[in-house]
Amino acid sequence: MTRNAIEISGLTKTYQGGKQALKGVDLNVPEGSVFGLLGPNGAGKSTLINILAGLVIKTEGRVKIWGWDQDQNPRQSRAAIGVMPQELNLDPFFAPRDALEVQAGLYGVPKSQRRSDEILAMVGLADKAEAYARTLSGGMRRRLLLAKALVHNPQVLVLDEPTAGVDIELRQMLWENVRRLNKEHGLTVILTTHYLEEAEQMCDEIAIINHGELIAQDSTQNLLGRLDAKTMVIEPDHDPQSLPTRDGIEVTRRPDGTIALSYNSSKTSAEEVLDCVHAAGIRIRDVRTEQADLEDVFLSLTRDAAA
Ligand code: ADP
Ligand code: MG
């Protein structure tokens, strides 16, 4: 039986002022997985992460981290998790090594068990151990945040939008670090992102959250299988008499005169779509395809949920 690194049930959060950011979330994160929490801006991802981190107080519900109930065993549950926050909230006065030492002190890690230099080397900051914080680039600061999340040797690592707005090189580096921590050190990793591609590449399992509610949770493979909506956009070379029709294809005429054919690539092939266009007597001047993006995925999932 797989054990869960995190168990969340009935989790709600209503902020002062009445904003309901989480509306009863149940979520289990299997031990040893790289788990993606996906959702558009404002979905409630950071709220959930910050509750795990002990930075936001939940309104209702239960949270267990590494088997420790957050309310009954706050110290143990906090020790089991390391969080790399979304905001770059670094103290400008500490050089990287000092920042890690201070963090280790906060978590009560004895001097003999501290691994500041090892961690700095792991995130590629060994040569910056004593640099002035203000001389660090944005990318270095982000890596330092990752390093800080690791000082107390947590079993669960949480990354809130680790690659939002970072360049490709740093993104690759963060991904490699996360993979290595997961594979070699057995860390359970939870990351939030609004990039579908990132979730696809990194995560074994994905949960999708929207408006404070979980709308899907599945293995990445299964989920992507469900997210195969495609749209072919045809520019006809004359005004068509009639539009194509076929089961499994949704046809709409767009204001610019093009015809959009939406279909699921697992059920309908591009060939079949073109066939039905030809069958309607339409000659094609130009054609392009549009991939479903996360927005479409949400729409389709919320539609499914409503049906
Ligand atoms: P995400 O990380 O998915 O973008 P957040 O968890 O940051 O979403 O926000 C979820 C909702 O809660 C949003 O509508 C946001 O405006 C609101 N919210 C977040 N933090 C606070 C706060 N401190 N006070 C009031 N509302 C907040
Ligand atoms: Mg956020």
Side-chain angles (χ1 to χ4, degrees), residues 39 41 45-46 86 142 159-164 191-194:
N41 278 330
K45 302 182 298 296
S46 292
Q86 186 171 1
R142 221 166 263 274
L159 311 160
D160 195 4
E161 309 250 2
T163 58
L191 61 93
T192 76
T193 181
H194 55 266

Side-chain angles (χ1 to χ4, degrees), residues 12-295:
T12 69
K13 175 64 189 179
T14 306
Y15 282 107
Q16 244 171 10
K19 174 73 202 178
Q20 220 188 337
L22 296 174
K23 302 173 184 167
V25 170
D26 301 312
L27 182 70
N28 290 335
V29 177
E31 197 178 311
S33 62
V34 178
F35 190 97
L37 186 62
L38 232 71
N41 278 330
K45 302 182 298 296
S46 292
T47 299
L48 193 150
I49 295 306
N50 289 334
I51 289 172
L52 291 178
L55 298 171
V56 166
I57 310 287
K58 63 181 186 276
T59 305
E60 285 174 316
R62 288 172 68 86
V63 173
K64 269 186 167 188
I65 301 170
W66 211 250
W68 300 106
D69 187 290
Q70 204 177 36
D71 299 322
Q72 287 159 17
N73 301 94
R75 200 175 53 78
Q76 291 92 333
S77 74
R78 210 168 100 83
I81 195 167
V83 178
M84 175 179 167
Q86 186 171 1
E87 311 292 329
L88 284 173
N89 59 348
L90 285 167
D91 191 320
F93 297 106
F94 290 117
R97 185 188 289 122
D98 297 335
L100 295 197
E101 288 294 317
V102 168
Q103 182 82 354
L106 286 175
Y107 275 92
V109 181
K111 279 233 156 58
S112 62
Q113 285 172 33
R114 294 189 189 170
R115 312 174 290 133
S116 298
D117 287 316
E118 184 191 328
I119 294 170
L120 285 175
M122 192 168 65
V123 300
L125 284 178
D127 57 341
K128 296 285 174 190
E130 283 154 30
Y132 288 115
R134 61 182 160 76
T135 67
L136 300 176
S137 69
M140 290 174 191
R141 286 171 201 211
R142 221 166 263 274
R143 282 185 266 162
L144 181 54
L145 284 178
L146 173 61
K148 274 180 76 176
L150 295 169
V151 292
H152 59 292
N153 223 356
Q155 287 92 345
V156 183
L157 174 66
V158 179
L159 311 160
D160 195 4
E161 309 250 2
T163 58
V166 311
D167 61 37
I168 291 177
E169 204 180 333
L170 176 60
R171 187 175 305 183
Q172 294 294 348
M173 206 225 85
L174 283 168
W175 285 0
E176 276 165 32
N177 269 315
V178 167
R179 273 198 207 93
R180 202 174 54 235
L181 286 164
N182 174 252
K183 292 270 164 325
E184 292 173 18
H185 301 263
L187 243 75
T188 303
V189 179
I190 306 172
L191 61 93
T192 76
T193 181
H194 55 266
Y195 298 125
L196 189 56
E197 188 209 351
E198 181 159 75
E200 262 185 73
Q201 293 211 14
M202 294 293 297
C203 303
D204 311 314
E205 199 161 323
I206 292 178
I208 297 184
I209 186 171
N210 196 20
H211 298 304
E213 287 178 288
L214 222 61
I215 54 176
Q217 181 180 357
D218 212 334
S219 69
T220 306
Q221 213 177 1
N222 286 344
L223 205 54
L224 288 173
R226 286 158 61 180
L227 311 181
D228 62 350
K230 280 209 164 62
T231 300
M232 192 182 287
V233 182
I234 304 272
E235 189 186 324
D237 90 346
H238 57 98
D239 240 5
Q241 306 280 307
S242 61
L243 291 178
T245 54
R246 193 189 167 110
D247 279 355
I249 305 178
E250 206 179 290
V251 184
T252 43
R253 193 80 201 271
R254 291 187 175 172
D256 63 1
T258 58
I259 301 167
L261 302 107
S262 300
Y263 59 102
N264 286 88
S265 56
S266 61
K267 301 197 190 85
T268 307
S269 68
E271 185 102 30
E272 289 171 296
V273 178
L274 287 170
D275 280 351
C276 91
V277 174
H278 288 136
I282 296 169
R283 283 199 308 275
I284 299 169
R285 180 186 299 157
D286 205 357
V287 61
R288 63 191 156 82
T289 56
E290 294 171 353
Q291 292 278 353
D293 61 17
L294 204 48
E295 212 56 45

